[in-house]
Amino acid sequence: MTYKRLSAMDSAFVQLESPSAPMHVAGLMVFERPAKAGEQFVRKLVDDWRSETRICAPWNQKLRSPSRWQLAPVMEETFDPDLEYHVRHLSLPKPGGERELGQMVARLHSQPMDMRKPLWECYFIDGLEGRRFAIYVKFHHALVDGISASNLLMRGLSESATDHRMPPFWVHPAPEKPFQMSAARGLPSTQALLGTAGKLVRLFSSDERLTTLRSAPKTAINGAISAQRRFATQAFELDRLKTVASRAGVTLNDVMVTLVGGSLRHYLKEKTALPETSLTAAIPMSLRSEGDQSIGNSVGMIYSMIGTNIADPVLRLKKVSESTSIAKEQILDLEPQMRTPYSILSMLPSIASMMTGAAKHVAPMFNTVVSNVPGGKKEKYLRGARLLHLYPANIVFPGLAVSFTCYSHAGFLNVGIIACRDTLPQMQRLATGLEDALSELERELGISPALQSVDEVG
């Protein structure tokens, strides 16, 4: 039997697991049935997948010890998965609209995983109006980050609408991490260690230019969380976002962070809970080398203001771009081998406060998470069914009640918003607020609004 010891970053997600904060991420894939598919298309697909017992890593990996109270968790392989447990078939109540889908996904995302089993679950969701169906797949975050999770799902889809032989996700093995010849192998230099220490000191201090872990104000979305979740989505045509980014001379990611800032500004202002200083966001940043599609977590973390204290949307975008640029310099100026240790050390106080229960009482180190997972440009199909959207669902933590995650696919940027149900009532307003914030930017930049395609799950 093969064993694998988890990295420090992967292990943290095992150690943080709790009933009110389960540490799994997920993807909600919405498909359009093939033109000639009958009403039993999804039923037959589920039966077919359950009969496929070939299984590859990481789908066959489970914790040797399911307890969170371990310093160095180890994964072991199993070759006899209970597919009746891991693959489930659900159906929406009529009318099978976005509201019903969102309620079902929110409930599924609220349920902790059984840590004794392989750390994934797959739900086929039938009865979605407009000849559509959905697949919700969740993985424990100890197994994957956003990029590796999307790679696992995309490997189970085809670029051909006529390919009806594609086996289930778990038959496709994940690539191994590519071998890297690097001068950085071995112990870091004294200069690298001192440089990293200096940047960590700066990150935990007050700084006029850099958004630090002391910049976040205490807000209504930062406090105790309960076990239940809300889930909402929004989809934007990528061309709209690219037009705004080009006109303003910023990155696509800057635009998305600014839209989150605009949405949270309006949401908190409506509730008379908007702080005078800007909310801040933790923004995961991939540290993978080119071509690395291996599983596991390989991310750095940068921190940025999101402009909730700025009424002018164009000025907000400018300030967000400046803030993210300085934050990227902070980590990219490090020696490559020190970027992961720097990110882990920057998150240690947050992890400690979450594990001890102090997070709901102390000032937050950041207010939300805004993550952007790159996808593909080509259409994808599951046995002839076209993938319309893939909406990510992330984690919320004690002291951090809402998270925004983006995924690009075939001309759309799909945004999944996950939040604590009790802390953020009427959370669907954050989804519509993203569209409002984009329209404001387009108007102020003199961009004519284009026809929009929006898919919202409340």
Side-chain angles (χ1 to χ4, degrees), residues 117-129:
K117 299 181 181 296
L119 299 177
W120 62 274
E121 297 172 10
C122 177
Y123 296 81
F124 285 79
I125 303 174
D126 217 341
L128 188 56
E129 63 183 0

Side-chain angles (χ1 to χ4, degrees), residues 33-34 37-52 83-91 122-128 132-135 170 382-383 385:
R33 295 187 193 210
E39 291 300 315
Q40 295 301 309
F41 176 83
V42 177
R43 173 77 268 172
K44 292 177 180 177
L45 187 55
V46 172
D47 290 342
D48 189 19
W49 279 29
R50 282 177 171 169
S51 68
E52 176 59 86
L83 292 182
E84 288 285 335
Y85 174 85
H86 287 282
V87 183
R88 307 187 191 185
H89 186 190
L90 306 175
S91 188
C122 177
Y123 296 81
F124 285 79
I125 303 174
D126 217 341
L128 188 56
R132 296 174 300 155
F133 68 97
I135 301 178
W170 50 89
L382 176 60
R383 300 195 179 182

Side-chain angles (χ1 to χ4, degrees), residues 25 141 143-150 286 288 294-299:
V25 294
H141 213 330
L143 203 64
V144 296
D145 58 15
I147 290 178
S148 55
S150 67
S286 176
R288 294 174 180 271
S294 60
I295 62 166
N297 290 273
S298 184
V299 295

Side-chain angles (χ1 to χ4, degrees), residues 35-109:
K36 297 182 180 180
E39 291 300 315
Q40 295 301 309
F41 176 83
V42 177
R43 173 77 268 172
K44 292 177 180 177
L45 187 55
V46 172
D47 290 342
D48 189 19
W49 279 29
R50 282 177 171 169
S51 68
E52 176 59 86
T53 56
R54 292 175 294 171
I55 187 165
C56 297
W59 303 89
N60 64 347
Q61 295 180 341
K62 64 178 183 179
L63 288 167
R64 181 190 286 182
S65 169
S67 170
R68 65 180 290 202
W69 304 111
Q70 50 185 319
L71 292 176
V74 173
M75 304 292 285
E76 62 183 16
E77 289 184 319
T78 176
F79 294 97
D80 187 23
D82 180 2
L83 292 182
E84 288 285 335
Y85 174 85
H86 287 282
V87 183
R88 307 187 191 185
H89 186 190
L90 306 175
S91 188
L92 294 173
K94 291 184 178 180
E98 264 57 52
R99 179 179 177 83
E100 290 76 23
L101 178 60
Q103 290 173 338
M104 179 173 286
V105 170
R107 183 60 59 87
L108 293 174
H109 207 70

